[in-house]
Amino acid sequence: MRCGPLLWVGGAVLGAAMLACAADPTFLKRSLPNITPLPDDLPQGAKGASYRPMFGAGDSQAQYLKSIARYGELTVEPGGSSALVSYPAEEQIYFVVSGSGTVICDGAGVPVKPNDFLYLPPGSRHGVSGGLAEPLRLLVMGFRIPPGAAVAPSPKLMIANTDSVPLQELPSHGPTTKFKLLMGTTESKRDKLPAASQMVSLFLMDFAPGGTNIPHHHETEEEIYFVLKGSGQMVAGGGLDGNEGRHPTKQGDAWFLRLNTTVGFYSGAQPGGDHDQVLAVRSTFPFPPRRP
């Protein structure tokens, strides 16, 4: 169901358009180990490549995502390769979870390793080949460019690694949760890669014991959280009545949060143990609210 224009009243999104969205779920959850690999553009005609769709293309509830075209995990076996694909109206991000290999973009090969993140511009022809020792696993994220939109995405592939991005505190979240600001729009002055158009923020959250991503909402953006390490409680689908809507979550879980849905995270990390880590991405809702 397509949401109509949203009305701003006292800083909140209200009005008839919210009723039009009432049939849409406020959030979707997927657990990566439980997803059966399905055919998708990248593995078709490829050798030793498989794709697990979490959200968007290949998923049965893809219609609920407005700005996000696809979100899933691509696995390329040693010596294998995916197909080469091109999306004229979709920008993509790759995040390497494990393994090594090569990303091919417009005929050039770029070696990749764990924790690399890449921006692939609309219209580029790209694919992935595996290394020699172990499977290459990476998250594939695609974001729609709205028809007729005046956008200025990066015209070329961009790549960096999370190790080169410092952890920093954000005033609203306190010292127990730190952020790595990985990628933003071409206008960004704070992110490691100022690259995208519809994708507005890719970031990694690192939670010490007791760490919290304080519940909040976004009035113009959809969001996905992916639990890279650890476990905790995900805040998803809460309302304005104070009910946060906490749900247990663990490594490999992915959460899609609809426009204006309450979102947050409470870490399950224990003193002396590893920190929890969550990779989050936000993208511009294609039918943004209008002010009356």
Side-chain angles (χ1 to χ4, degrees):
M1 178 181 296
R2 170 174 168 170
C3 301
L6 305 181
L7 302 180
W8 292 61
V9 180
V13 180
L14 301 173
M18 287 300 291
L19 297 178
C21 292
D24 290 5
T26 54
F27 70 91
L28 299 173
K29 178 191 177 183
R30 300 288 183 265
S31 184
L32 190 57
N34 297 333
I35 299 174
T36 301
L38 296 175
D40 187 68
D41 294 344
L42 280 165
Q44 284 183 357
K47 174 186 176 183
S50 61
Y51 180 74
R52 296 178 187 267
M54 287 182 265
F55 305 112
D59 178 66
S60 62
Q61 295 179 299
Q63 71 272 23
Y64 296 125
L65 282 67
K66 312 304 179 184
S67 64
I68 300 165
R70 70 194 74 240
Y71 190 102
E73 184 191 66
L74 176 68
T75 299
V76 183
E77 300 297 332
S81 62
S82 74
L84 292 174
V85 295
S86 180
Y87 304 102
E90 182 180 327
E91 58 185 1
Q92 291 201 337
I93 294 171
Y94 288 173
F95 183 92
V96 180
V97 178
S98 64
S100 60
T102 302
V103 170
I104 299 96
C105 183
D106 291 333
V110 179
V112 294
K113 61 184 183 299
N115 298 321
D116 279 347
F117 53 98
L118 303 87
Y119 177 78
L120 300 157
S124 62
R125 187 168 178 78
H126 54 268
V128 182
S129 61
L132 298 177
E134 60 180 315
L136 171 63
R137 296 174 50 234
L138 52 85
L139 296 176
V140 176
M141 313 173 214
F143 306 91
R144 297 184 179 96
I145 306 295
V151 299
S154 169
K156 62 181 180 179
L157 178 147
M158 300 178 71
I159 181 172
N161 189 278
T162 61
D163 291 346
S164 68
V165 184
L167 283 168
Q168 58 182 283
E169 293 181 19
L170 298 184
S172 59
H173 292 283
T176 58
T177 303
K178 295 185 179 181
F179 293 74
K180 291 193 175 193
L181 304 178
L182 307 180
M183 188 184 303
T185 68
T186 54
E187 299 177 350
S188 174
K189 304 298 183 184
R190 65 173 195 168
D191 299 279
K192 180 67 175 181
L193 296 181
S197 170
Q198 300 307 112
M199 194 293 304
V200 297
S201 186
L202 175 73
F203 56 99
L204 187 148
M205 292 177 281
D206 184 274
F207 296 90
T212 302
N213 181 24
I214 296 173
H216 59 285
H217 68 277
H218 300 285
E219 294 179 335
T220 61
E221 297 158 351
E222 296 179 319
E223 190 162 24
I224 291 177
Y225 276 28
F226 182 77
V227 184
L228 282 171
K229 292 175 57 178
S231 62
Q233 289 186 314
M234 181 73 191
V235 175
L240 300 179
D241 58 358
N243 179 9
E244 292 182 342
R246 295 196 192 187
H247 310 271
T249 190
K250 62 184 183 304
Q251 183 173 324
D253 286 350
W255 300 77
F256 163 76
L257 293 311
R258 197 189 70 187
L259 179 75
N260 212 43
T261 295
T262 304
V263 56
F265 186 83
Y266 289 89
S267 172
Q270 299 299 310
D274 292 337
H275 288 196
D276 296 328
Q277 289 189 343
V278 172
L279 183 71
V281 65
R282 298 203 311 267
S283 54
T284 302
F285 195 78
F287 314 107
R290 60 178 176 85
R291 296 183 183 276

